[in-house]
């Protein structure tokens, strides 16, 4: 099977996955014995006709199955319904929040993947030396430190005690966002040649992306280190050394390629997970992203938003997994996609 | 693990801990004034709409009060007098039904269009026809106006004929729902469609007010800039730009205020101690119109015990008001006599403003004993039946009050349980089921009139009251409340509210816990600030120096 056939087949798999996801989330979110219409209509100040109108819009008076088909029908027309909490279409909210999370995730990965892998390699080849100890301690800190604590500490130190970085947000206060092309402020600023928003958005990315990337870095560091150690002890590495290859070639060309496979799997999944939104990081740095949006939607029983969010995350996961699988084949020629 | 590793690890952990605590010992340094022309307010929760015909949440009002204007307005914190705004003077007929307003000439909307009587009629009719599909706010005008009410006499005179005389009429049109939009502008952008919101107006407001929208990034910030054509002019001190920042995390808002990014910030009561000792931060508490209550389900098929007025009276005595004020609200609440908050007209009609019930467990026990609800052999009343106390999850103040109340009830032999539910679920329970006994609730003002408080709380559902679904009904009380509602004579209203209160308070449906204080810590460079409970923010009056 050719690679493209494999990709198409995997993408087609998205359809049953998405149907499954919509059924499960729809049922879970709708079996809660509460009708959110009163809350959406304004709580104790709600007018009866407003409540009734919302019930009709959401088809809450119909049986669950009928509600589900209404939903599916809308979805086929790319209509995710209306978010009552934000009082606008869900798609509009997602179009605003997803690029924010995407940008943050990319920068977090740009920090965590190179540092994690590099740290892991150093730690493995200089095992039990001082540099190994230091990197291992960083790794332990990375995944044992609660992310909200790290976020608050960084914010407190670098935005308040020694105010060199901005406290919160994607842009400086009152600055108008660059014209939206991709929704990623950094890219949009470059495309529109807006230096002000470019520097402001980069500056605002530092703390949240470091916070978000720190735990991932720690994870990747540990993974790379242990798989490197395992691979370095293998026969073929000894053979490579015996052939007289330089240590650099042995590590970079022979050991690392094999050692990276688990690291790549984890990076891909981590990327997918981060795209789902990092509620804590986004909340503390007031980053208008998917995590904050989803958390509010769940608390407020905003079904449409919850569903829209879940569908987007499911698609991301499937695609992230696909990319990981494709990368396997690049790194390890023995891996044949789709089998022979 | 070897020694070196351990030493290193301990060293790093120690240094991190020290860093973490370093802030606690450091003296706060003097912060310099940032952006003298821009006022930055850090709050939470995005505005929902900037269309005055459909706005009913406080976040939306924060922008609308300065973008649009009504015929009349408030000045500073004065709640007793209405001042001219788009109307220069007004008159009312003998029967209190016909109001005539003389309009201000030479006023322009921020798009350059002239303001005339056409716009006034259009705006009121728009609210009534559009019927606020999102929020339901149209009821405020609908209670006294219909499509025939507003008549254009000439370009600058308008006459409003009320369906019934209404004591609170002027207050209702001073609220955002009575604000004036530009007829031509609305007609160009979707016009009026019955029962349908106008998506364009929601995001693109054009009013006659001092400020206009520069940009609104949803859930991030709303930025207002000066309207150069504002009829009130720009003499004196004003800020050029207002930034309303939405940051849901309290810790972020606290740091923003401390480092001077924020000029004013919303800080939860329990965090006020983090900012009140900072040099340059001012914390002042004002009495708001936000009431805190515990409502009791009075329908006998729900709770046979709470259906008895004597039991409800006993519960009013069993509530520890001072503990609620001191512990739950950290002192930022004052007691209130009844459904009308202190500061609103006719507050004193409620037992001269003195609460009838104080915390008194002996009195509570005596009432219960006399009503026949004595202790059984297990020292329990109501045969060991449990009173279920609900509050909305995440509301720490209500949680603390619920626990304290449970303890007090326990002392007089009443078993109770405390249950937290998410807000939508709790509302569902309150309105569609009979399955609750007591719920902690709150209420904020729509407009400055007791009819916006005592009527929805106390009047029965037969006359469109009972907003909290307590099931309460007392015919004499209903009669007096209707009398107070449909009169514009202050003496008649005063007496009506007094008579209603005297009957109601011996047959209460709620425990009136207190009146919250409004606190918005600010930097000392913010000048011109005052608090008006029915118009929280009016950016034109504030400046930085």
């Amino acid at each position: 099977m050719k690679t493209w056939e494999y990709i198409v087949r995997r993408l087609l798999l998205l359809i049953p996955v998405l149907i499954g996801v919509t059924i499960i989330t729809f049922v879970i979110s709708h079996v809660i014995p509460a009708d959110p219409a009163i809350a959406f209509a304004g709580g104790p100040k709600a007018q009866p006709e407003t409540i009734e109108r919302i019930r009709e819009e959401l088809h809450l008076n119909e049986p669950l199955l009928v509600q589900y088909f209404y939903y599916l029908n809308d979805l086929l027309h790319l209509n995710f319904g209306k978010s009552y909490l934000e009082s606008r279409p869900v798609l509009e909210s997602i179009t605003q929040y997803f690029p924010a999370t995407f940008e943050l995730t990319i920068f977090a990965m740009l920090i965590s993947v190179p540092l994690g892998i590099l740290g892991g390699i150093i730690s493995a080849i200089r095992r039990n030396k001082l540099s190994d100890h230091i990197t291992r301690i960083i790794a332990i800190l990375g995944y044992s430190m609660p992310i909200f604590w790290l976020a608050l500490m960084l914010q407190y130190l670098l935005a308040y005690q020694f105010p060199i970085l901005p406290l919160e947000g994607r842009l400086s206060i009152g600055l108008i966002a660059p014209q939206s092309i991709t929704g990623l402020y950094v890219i949009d600023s470059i495309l529109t040649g807006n230096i002000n928003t470019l520097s402001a958005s980069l500056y605002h990315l530092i703390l949240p992306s470091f916070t978000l990337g720190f735990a991932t870095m720690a994870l990747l560091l540990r993974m790379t280190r242990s798989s490197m150690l395992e691979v370095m002890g293998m026969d073929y590495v000894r053979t490579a050394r015996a052939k007289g290859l330089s240590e650099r070639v042995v590590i970079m060309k022979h050991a690392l390629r094999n050692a990276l496979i688990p690291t790549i799997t984890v990076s891909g999944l981590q990327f997918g997970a981060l795209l789902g939104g990092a509620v804590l990081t986004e909340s503390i740095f007031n980053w208008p992203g998917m995590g904050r949006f989803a958390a509010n939607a769940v608390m407020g029983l905003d079904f449409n938003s919850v569903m829209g969010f879940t569908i987007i995350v499911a698609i991301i996961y499937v695609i992230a997994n696909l990319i990981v699988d494709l990368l396997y084949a690049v790194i390890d020629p023995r891996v044949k996609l789709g089998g022979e | 693990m070897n020694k070196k590793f351990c030493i290193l690890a301990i060293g790093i952990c120690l240094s991190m801990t020290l860093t973490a605590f370093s802030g606690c010992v450091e003296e706060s340094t003097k912060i310099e004034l940032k952006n003298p022309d821009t006022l930055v307010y850090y709050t939470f929760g995005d505005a929902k709409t900037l269309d005055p015909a459909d706005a009913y949440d406080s976040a939306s009002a924060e922008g609308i009060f300065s973008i649009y204007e009504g015929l009349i307005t408030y000045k500073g914190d004065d709640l007793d007098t209405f001042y001219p705004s788009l109307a220069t003077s007004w008159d009312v007929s003998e029967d209190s039904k016909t109001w005539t307003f003389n309009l201000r000439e030479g006023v322009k909307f921020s798009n350059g269009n002239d303001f005339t009587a056409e716009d006034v009629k259009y705006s009121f009719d728009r609210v009534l026809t559009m019927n606020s599909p999102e929020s339901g706010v149209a009821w405020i005008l609908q209670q006294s106006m219909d499509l025939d009410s507003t008549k254009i006499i000439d370009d600058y005179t308008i006459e409003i004929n009320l369906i019934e005389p209404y004591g609170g009429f002027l207050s209702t049109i001073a609220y955002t729902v009575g604000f004036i939009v530009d007829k031509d502008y609305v007609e160009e952008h979707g016009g009026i469609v019955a029962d349908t919101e106008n998506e364009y107006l929601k995001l693109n407001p054009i009013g006659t007010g001092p400020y206009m929208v520069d940009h609104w990034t949803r859930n991030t910030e709303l930025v207002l800039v000066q309207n150069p054509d504002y009829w009130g002019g720009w003499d004196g001190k004003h800020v050029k730009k207002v930034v309303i920042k939405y940051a849901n995390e309290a810790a972020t808002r606290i740091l923003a205020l401390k480092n001077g990014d924020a000029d004013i910030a919303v800080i939860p009561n329990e965090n006020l101690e983090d900012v009140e000792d900072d040099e340059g931060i001012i914390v002042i508490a004002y009495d708001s119109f936000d009431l805190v209550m515990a409502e009791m389900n009075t329908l006998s098929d729900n709770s046979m015990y709470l259906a008895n007025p004597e039991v409800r009276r006993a519960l009013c005595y069993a509530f520890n008001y001072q503990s609620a004020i001191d512990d739950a609200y950290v002192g930022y609440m004052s007691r209130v006599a009844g459904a009308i908050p202190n500061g609103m007209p006719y507050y004193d009609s409620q037992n001269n403003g003195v609460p009838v019930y104080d915390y008194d467990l002996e009195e509570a026990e005596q009432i219960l004993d006399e009503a026949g609800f004595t202790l059984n052999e297990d020292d329990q009343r109501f045969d060991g039946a449990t009173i279920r106390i609900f509050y909305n999850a995440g509301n720490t103040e209500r949680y603390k009050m619920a626990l304290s109340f449970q303890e007090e009830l326990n002392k007089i032999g009443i078993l109770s349980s405390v249950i937290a539910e998410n807000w939508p679920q709790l509302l569902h329970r309150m309105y569609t089921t009979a399955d609750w006994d007591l719920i902690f609730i709150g209420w904020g003002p729509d407009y400055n009139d007791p009819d916006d408080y005592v009527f929805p709380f106390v009047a029965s559902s037969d006359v469109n009251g009972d907003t909290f679904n307590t099931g309460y009904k007392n015919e004499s009380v209903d009669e007096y409340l209707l009398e107070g509602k449909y009169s514009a004579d202050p003496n008649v209203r005063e007496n009506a509210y007094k008579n209603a209160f005297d009957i109601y308070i011996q047959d209460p449906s709620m425990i009136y816990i207190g009146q919250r204080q409004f606190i918005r810590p600010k930097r000392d460079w913010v000048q011109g600030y005052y608090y008006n409970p029915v118009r929280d923010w009016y950016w034109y009056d504030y400046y930085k120096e």
Side-chain angles (χ1 to χ4, degrees), chain B residues 335-532:
Chain B
R335 287 216 54 193
V336 67
I340 304 173
N342 194 358
M344 229 180 220
Y346 315 115
Y347 174 73
D348 286 338
S349 69
Q350 308 169 117
N351 193 30
N352 296 317
V354 181
V356 171
Y357 297 102
D358 278 315
Y359 171 58
D360 186 343
L361 288 182
E362 277 172 27
E363 183 74 32
E365 284 187 297
Q366 196 185 331
I367 293 172
L368 289 170
D369 288 339
E370 283 168 12
F373 299 109
T374 44
L375 295 168
N376 67 7
E377 64 272 18
D378 298 326
D379 273 349
Q380 288 166 353
R381 293 181 200 271
F382 308 149
D383 284 331
T386 303
I387 289 190
R388 289 162 316 146
I389 305 171
F390 289 90
Y391 71 97
N392 51 316
N395 189 322
T396 38
E397 286 114 358
R398 292 180 189 171
Y399 171 64
K400 286 180 189 166
M401 290 192 295
L403 286 187
S404 143
F405 196 37
Q406 184 179 35
E407 214 176 285
E408 302 301 338
L409 290 178
N410 201 26
K411 289 181 195 161
I412 55 171
I414 297 175
L415 291 180
S416 61
S417 56
V418 172
I419 305 164
E421 276 188 344
N422 271 339
W423 185 227
Q425 273 155 294
L426 187 57
L427 286 170
H428 179 75
R429 176 182 297 281
M430 189 195 303
Y431 288 104
T432 61
T433 76
D435 199 12
W436 55 276
D437 299 318
L438 198 133
I439 305 180
F440 282 99
I441 45 169
W443 185 265
D446 300 311
Y447 50 92
N448 183 26
D449 194 88
D451 184 53
D452 187 33
Y453 275 77
V454 66
F455 198 86
F457 296 3
V458 173
S460 73
S461 59
D462 294 355
V463 292
N464 274 328
D466 200 16
T467 288
F468 291 105
N469 207 26
T470 58
Y472 184 80
K473 180 173 168 62
N474 183 314
E475 274 167 26
S476 325
V477 170
D478 277 359
E479 263 170 46
Y480 284 123
L481 290 180
L482 286 169
E483 191 186 339
K485 186 184 182 81
Y486 292 124
S487 168
D489 181 339
N491 290 328
V492 175
R493 298 192 78 194
E494 170 96 36
N495 272 327
Y497 288 130
K498 184 179 183 316
N499 291 336
F501 180 83
D502 291 343
I503 303 170
Y504 169 75
I505 206 66
Q506 297 308 322
D507 174 19
S509 59
M510 298 195 189
I511 304 173
Y512 293 93
I513 297 166
Q515 182 166 350
R516 296 193 61 169
Q517 285 171 344
F518 181 92
I519 309 143
R520 291 292 176 269
K522 58 184 176 65
R523 305 291 325 186
D524 55 5
W525 56 64
V526 176
Q527 310 294 333
Y529 180 82
Y530 54 84
Y531 172 68
N532 181 323

Side-chain angles (χ1 to χ4, degrees), chain A residues 4-217:
Chain A
W4 69 266
E5 272 178 36
Y6 175 77
I7 295 175
V8 170
R9 211 176 65 179
R10 284 285 297 268
L11 286 178
L12 283 178
L13 254 175
L14 252 175
I15 297 167
V17 168
L18 283 183
I19 293 179
V21 166
T22 52
I23 293 179
I24 294 171
T25 34
F26 196 87
V27 171
I28 292 179
S29 60
H30 285 67
V31 292
I32 300 169
D35 161 3
I38 305 170
F40 295 157
K45 295 192 171 182
Q47 299 297 302
E49 36 186 313
T50 318
I51 299 173
E52 202 38 51
R53 197 185 60 89
I54 292 173
R55 282 197 184 128
E56 266 165 39
E57 275 178 11
L58 286 169
H59 308 291
L60 291 176
N61 298 323
E62 314 266 1
L64 196 58
L65 196 66
V66 179
Q67 290 183 38
Y68 178 69
F69 281 108
Y70 273 119
Y71 184 79
L72 219 52
N73 183 40
D74 285 346
L75 205 57
L76 287 175
H77 298 94
L78 272 184
N79 177 2
F80 284 72
K82 184 178 163 180
S83 160
Y84 286 89
L85 288 185
E86 306 223 329
S87 99
R88 59 173 167 172
V90 171
L91 202 57
E92 227 171 78
S93 299
I94 291 180
T95 330
Q96 185 193 338
Y97 300 137
F98 184 72
T101 297
F102 192 65
E103 189 169 51
L104 179 60
T105 305
I106 297 222
F107 277 84
M109 292 307 273
L110 283 178
I111 292 173
S112 61
V113 173
L115 285 181
I117 293 178
L118 194 70
I121 297 171
I122 293 174
S123 191
I125 56 182
R126 300 189 50 84
R127 192 179 179 184
N128 287 332
K129 303 264 173 50
L130 184 67
S131 43
D132 180 27
H133 295 322
I134 293 173
T135 44
R136 275 165 69 201
I137 289 166
I138 292 174
I140 291 172
L141 282 175
Y143 54 74
S144 58
M145 197 155 34
I147 196 159
F148 70 89
W149 189 84
L150 177 67
L152 285 172
M153 280 305 128
L154 288 174
Q155 196 182 44
Y156 186 78
L157 286 175
L158 299 176
Y160 175 60
Q161 283 296 346
F162 311 100
I164 48 173
L165 289 171
L167 185 67
E168 52 91 35
R170 284 180 87 183
L171 285 177
S172 315
I173 289 168
L175 195 61
I176 301 183
Q179 189 202 344
S180 183
I181 302 167
T182 59
L184 277 66
Y185 285 0
V186 173
I187 308 279
D188 288 350
S189 303
I190 294 171
L191 290 177
T192 56
N194 191 336
I195 303 288
N196 280 341
T197 51
L198 177 66
S199 57
S201 53
L202 283 172
Y203 188 47
H204 280 76
L205 270 162
I206 301 174
L207 278 186
S209 55
F210 178 79
T211 310
L212 196 58
F214 196 56
T216 309
M217 182 200 72

Side-chain angles (χ1 to χ4, degrees), chain B residues 235-248:
Chain B
D235 295 343
K237 292 170 178 166
H238 310 277
V239 284
K240 292 206 167 92
K241 205 172 183 183
V242 176
V243 179
I244 303 172
K245 272 292 264 178
Y246 304 111
N248 289 342

Side-chain angles (χ1 to χ4, degrees), chain B residues 60-71:
Chain B
S60 298
E62 285 165 3
I64 293 174
F65 268 120
S66 296
I67 299 169
Y68 286 96
E69 290 176 306
L71 298 179

Side-chain angles (χ1 to χ4, degrees), chain A residues 214-280:
Chain A
F214 196 56
T216 309
M217 182 200 72
L219 187 71
L220 296 180
L221 197 150
R222 293 283 292 185
M223 295 225 47
T224 313
R225 180 179 184 270
S226 63
S227 59
M228 271 300 274
L229 285 176
E230 194 185 317
V231 170
M232 300 270 279
M234 283 191 168
D235 289 347
Y236 79 92
V237 173
R238 195 166 350 119
T239 314
R241 283 203 178 114
K243 279 199 296 188
L245 293 178
S246 71
E247 190 64 16
R248 202 175 150 256
V249 175
V250 171
I251 290 166
M252 299 306 285
K253 285 205 121 168
H254 294 254
L256 187 61
R257 265 185 108 126
N258 276 326
L260 275 187
I261 288 196
T263 312
I264 284 176
T265 316
V266 171
S267 314
L269 291 177
Q270 199 64 23
F271 189 68
L274 292 187
L275 275 183
V279 180
L280 295 172

